[in-house]
Amino acid sequence: SGSGKSTLLNLIPGFVTPKNGRILLNWKDAATLKHSDLVRHVSVVFQEVYLFQDTMMNNIRMGNQSTTDEQVIEAAKKAHCHEFIEKLPQGYQTVISEGGASLSGGERQRVAIARAILKDSPIILLDEALSSLDAENAVAIQKGIEEMIKGKTVFLVSHTLSYIQNADQILVMEHGQLIEQGTHDTLMERQGKYTQMWNSYMESISWKIRAGKGGAIE
């Protein structure tokens, strides 16, 4: 936490301007591109998803205003949110509350993924998109993400190391600095920070909660 992961992601679409250095996209300096062109080539799915007081159809269509209803529905199916939308009072024409408060966190995440699928941009940024979700939602969202990232360049920020284990390149950040990079196997061989985090992660998932004397949790 606080190592600069989200800041690094925000540099790519120009949400934050670098004071030093450059962001190169296809070897072109991002600073020389129109911001509208830059944003058009980048899709973002953050941990906090904001939805507008509008129909579900229009909320998903924000990813690409020129798409048909059929294309919106197809994107929703790939993002695994079609089923819960169909159960809403008016289906895709249901107007949701400002901010999407009437939907669960997992449902809002899936709508955000549907938007990104519809946008079909070559670069995708996922910032803790699977955090704080129950197991069922996490599985559904992972399936949506698998559909979305085919043939794309993807930046995935996650504290859950199993989500990034199979990445082509893992970047380890600490105190605003890049301290390690490589594949999972390469980083494990180096016995550095990543290895420490991985061993701690593997130990934590083996923990079990049991009831002690008098019903106390141990």
Side-chain angles (χ1 to χ4, degrees):
S1 297
S3 66
K5 303 183 299 298
S6 296
T7 300
L8 185 63
L9 252 61
N10 283 322
L11 285 165
I12 297 169
F15 297 158
V16 176
T17 303
K19 294 179 181 178
N20 299 295
R22 296 181 298 163
I23 304 296
L24 300 179
L25 300 175
N26 283 342
W27 306 109
K28 293 182 180 179
D29 190 339
T32 66
L33 302 175
K34 291 182 179 178
H35 190 257
S36 58
D37 290 337
L38 183 58
V39 171
R40 183 165 51 86
H41 286 84
V42 179
S43 291
V44 180
V45 180
F46 287 149
Q47 181 178 356
E48 296 297 326
V49 178
Y50 189 84
L51 302 180
F52 294 92
Q53 187 171 354
D54 203 337
T55 64
M56 288 298 301
M57 180 71 72
N58 288 339
N59 263 286
I60 295 175
R61 187 176 273 124
M62 284 184 61
N64 187 340
Q65 297 286 351
S66 64
T67 52
T68 64
D69 289 357
E70 289 73 21
Q71 288 172 316
V72 170
I73 293 171
E74 183 61 28
K77 288 179 178 178
K78 289 180 178 180
H80 294 264
C81 58
H82 175 74
E83 185 175 342
F84 84 77
I85 293 174
E86 285 280 88
K87 293 178 180 178
L88 295 174
Q90 283 81 45
Y92 282 85
Q93 298 308 316
T94 301
V95 176
I96 61 173
S97 59
E98 185 78 14
S102 56
L103 302 178
S104 70
E107 288 169 343
R108 291 196 298 272
Q109 287 282 10
R110 279 179 269 176
V111 170
I113 291 171
R115 284 176 176 172
I117 290 173
L118 205 60
K119 188 175 180 181
D120 196 29
S121 59
I123 299 171
I124 298 172
L125 311 180
L126 303 170
D127 191 359
E128 294 289 359
L130 294 169
S131 65
S132 303
L133 297 175
D134 57 61
E136 184 178 352
N137 271 321
V139 169
I141 290 174
Q142 275 185 291
K143 290 179 179 178
I145 288 174
E146 287 170 6
E147 281 290 336
M148 178 176 60
I149 67 177
K150 291 177 180 178
K152 312 293 185 181
T153 297
V154 181
F155 292 82
L156 169 62
V157 167
S158 180
H159 284 94
T160 306
L161 298 188
S162 61
Y163 295 153
I164 64 171
Q165 180 181 358
N166 297 317
D168 299 312
Q169 189 77 228
I170 299 172
L171 309 178
V172 184
M173 303 285 293
E174 186 174 49
H175 304 308
Q177 301 291 325
L178 176 64
I179 61 171
E180 292 181 325
Q181 68 182 90
T183 64
H184 171 80
D185 292 339
T186 299
L187 293 174
M188 290 298 291
E189 289 173 3
R190 292 176 185 166
Q191 296 292 305
K193 184 72 175 181
Y194 181 83
T195 304
Q196 294 174 23
M197 292 192 296
W198 180 263
N199 290 340
S200 296
Y201 167 70
M202 294 303 293
E203 182 180 354
S204 69
I205 62 176
S206 68
W207 291 347
K208 294 181 180 179
I209 297 176
R210 61 192 179 92
K213 293 180 180 180
I217 301 298
E218 298 179 346

